[in-house]
Amino acid sequence: MSDSAWVPQSCTLPTEERPLRVAEWDALFSERLALMTRTGPLRLRLDMIGGPGVEEQVRDLVQRESGCCSFFAFTLTPGKDLIGLDISVDPVHEAVLGPRRAGRFLRGLAVSTGCASGR
Protein backbone atom coordinates (compact mmCIF):
# COMPACT_ATOMS: atom_id res chain seq x y z
CA MET A 1 0.00 0.00 0.00
CA SER A 2 1.35 3.44 -0.88
CA ASP A 3 1.81 6.08 1.78
CA SER A 4 -1.27 7.98 0.63
CA ALA A 5 -3.50 4.99 -0.25
CA TRP A 6 -5.28 5.29 3.12
CA VAL A 7 -6.59 8.80 2.28
CA PRO A 8 -10.42 8.83 2.04
CA GLN A 9 -12.08 9.85 -1.22
CA SER A 10 -13.66 12.82 0.57
CA CYS A 11 -10.22 14.46 0.83
CA THR A 12 -10.00 17.33 -1.67
CA LEU A 13 -6.20 17.59 -1.66
CA PRO A 14 -5.01 16.91 -5.22
CA THR A 15 -3.77 13.33 -5.53
CA GLU A 16 -0.27 14.37 -6.58
CA GLU A 17 0.11 16.48 -3.40
CA ARG A 18 -0.98 13.73 -1.00
CA PRO A 19 2.40 11.97 -0.65
CA LEU A 20 4.00 15.35 0.16
CA ARG A 21 1.46 16.06 2.90
CA VAL A 22 1.84 12.57 4.36
CA ALA A 23 5.61 13.10 4.37
CA GLU A 24 5.18 16.41 6.24
CA TRP A 25 3.09 14.76 8.96
CA ASP A 26 5.45 11.78 9.18
CA ALA A 27 8.48 14.08 9.50
CA LEU A 28 6.77 16.02 12.28
CA PHE A 29 5.82 12.82 14.09
CA SER A 30 9.23 11.23 13.72
CA GLU A 31 10.94 14.34 15.13
CA ARG A 32 8.44 15.42 17.77
CA LEU A 33 5.92 12.74 18.76
CA ALA A 34 6.26 11.84 22.44
CA LEU A 35 2.97 9.99 23.00
CA MET A 36 0.02 8.83 20.91
CA THR A 37 -3.12 7.86 22.83
CA ARG A 38 -6.38 6.56 21.42
CA THR A 39 -8.92 8.36 23.62
CA GLY A 40 -11.97 6.86 21.90
CA PRO A 41 -12.94 5.19 18.64
CA LEU A 42 -13.15 8.57 16.91
CA ARG A 43 -10.45 10.44 18.87
CA LEU A 44 -6.68 10.44 18.98
CA ARG A 45 -4.38 12.48 21.24
CA LEU A 46 -0.86 13.33 20.12
CA ASP A 47 1.64 14.89 22.50
CA MET A 48 4.59 16.42 20.71
CA ILE A 49 7.82 17.78 22.09
CA GLY A 50 7.87 21.54 21.78
CA GLY A 51 10.67 23.74 20.58
CA PRO A 52 11.32 26.80 18.45
CA GLY A 53 8.80 26.97 15.62
CA VAL A 54 7.08 23.66 16.44
CA GLU A 55 3.75 25.16 17.46
CA GLU A 56 3.68 27.23 14.27
CA GLN A 57 4.54 24.15 12.20
CA VAL A 58 1.71 22.16 13.79
CA ARG A 59 -0.74 25.06 13.35
CA ASP A 60 0.21 25.36 9.68
CA LEU A 61 -0.27 21.65 9.02
CA VAL A 62 -3.57 21.60 10.93
CA GLN A 63 -4.85 24.60 8.97
CA ARG A 64 -3.93 23.07 5.62
CA GLU A 65 -5.32 19.66 6.58
CA SER A 66 -8.59 21.24 7.73
CA GLY A 67 -8.86 22.93 4.35
CA CYS A 68 -8.87 19.69 2.37
CA CYS A 69 -10.23 17.15 4.85
CA SER A 70 -13.28 18.64 6.52
CA PHE A 71 -13.95 15.39 8.38
CA PHE A 72 -11.08 16.18 10.77
CA ALA A 73 -11.55 18.30 13.89
CA PHE A 74 -8.31 19.46 15.50
CA THR A 75 -7.74 21.01 18.92
CA LEU A 76 -4.26 22.33 19.61
CA THR A 77 -3.13 22.78 23.21
CA PRO A 78 0.16 24.67 23.37
CA GLY A 79 2.46 24.07 26.31
CA LYS A 80 5.97 24.92 27.39
CA ASP A 81 7.42 21.45 26.81
CA LEU A 82 4.62 19.56 25.07
CA ILE A 83 2.15 20.53 22.40
CA GLY A 84 -1.08 18.56 22.53
CA LEU A 85 -3.04 17.83 19.39
CA ASP A 86 -6.44 16.21 19.74
CA ILE A 87 -7.84 14.83 16.50
CA SER A 88 -11.37 13.61 16.01
CA VAL A 89 -13.31 12.37 13.01
CA ASP A 90 -16.90 11.47 12.22
CA PRO A 91 -17.92 7.78 12.26
CA VAL A 92 -17.68 7.49 8.46
CA HIS A 93 -13.96 8.32 8.64
CA GLU A 94 -13.00 6.25 11.70
CA ALA A 95 -10.49 4.25 9.62
CA VAL A 96 -8.34 7.36 9.16
CA LEU A 97 -7.41 7.12 12.84
CA GLY A 98 -7.27 3.34 12.77
CA PRO A 99 -4.42 0.87 12.94
CA ARG A 100 -3.75 0.80 9.18
CA ARG A 101 -2.41 4.37 9.14
CA ALA A 102 -1.29 4.78 12.73
CA GLY A 103 0.10 1.27 12.78
CA ARG A 104 2.35 1.92 9.78
CA PHE A 105 3.74 5.01 11.43
CA LEU A 106 4.10 3.41 14.84
CA ARG A 107 5.96 0.42 13.41
CA GLY A 108 8.49 2.84 11.88
CA LEU A 109 8.73 4.80 15.11
CA ALA A 110 9.20 1.64 17.17
CA VAL A 111 12.08 0.57 14.95
CA SER A 112 13.80 3.93 15.25
CA THR A 113 13.20 4.57 18.97
CA GLY A 114 12.25 1.26 20.50
CA CYS A 115 9.51 2.92 22.57
CA ALA A 116 6.30 3.07 20.51
CA SER A 117 3.27 0.86 20.83
CA GLY A 118 0.02 0.79 18.88
CA ARG A 119 -3.10 -1.25 18.62
Side-chain angles (χ1 to χ4, degrees):
M1 173 173 59
S2 73
D3 284 347
S4 60
W6 63 275
V7 178
Q9 291 182 342
S10 56
C11 176
T12 62
L13 186 67
T15 303
E16 64 275 4
E17 293 180 31
R18 291 177 183 179
L20 301 173
R21 180 71 55 82
V22 169
E24 283 185 85
W25 281 109
D26 284 349
L28 175 68
F29 296 157
S30 68
E31 295 170 10
R32 298 293 174 172
L33 187 64
L35 181 65
M36 182 183 306
T37 308
R38 189 68 180 254
T39 58
L42 305 175
R43 297 184 60 82
L44 187 66
R45 169 72 181 205
L46 306 175
D47 289 313
M48 292 173 279
I49 300 166
V54 176
E55 182 181 338
E56 292 79 10
Q57 180 184 10
V58 174
R59 282 189 192 282
D60 175 60
L61 273 168
V62 163
Q63 181 179 10
R64 289 186 288 134
E65 198 68 27
S66 295
C68 65
C69 295
S70 61
F71 52 85
F72 279 123
F74 296 100
T75 303
L76 186 69
T77 307
K80 180 181 175 189
D81 299 319
L82 287 177
I83 297 168
L85 181 61
D86 290 290
I87 306 169
S88 61
V89 295
D90 57 42
V92 172
H93 295 93
E94 180 178 358
V96 174
L97 299 181
R100 175 180 282 179
R101 171 70 185 135
R104 183 190 69 79
F105 173 72
L106 287 173
R107 281 190 298 279
L109 185 63
V111 168
S112 65
T113 66
C115 66
S117 64
R119 67 176 184 131

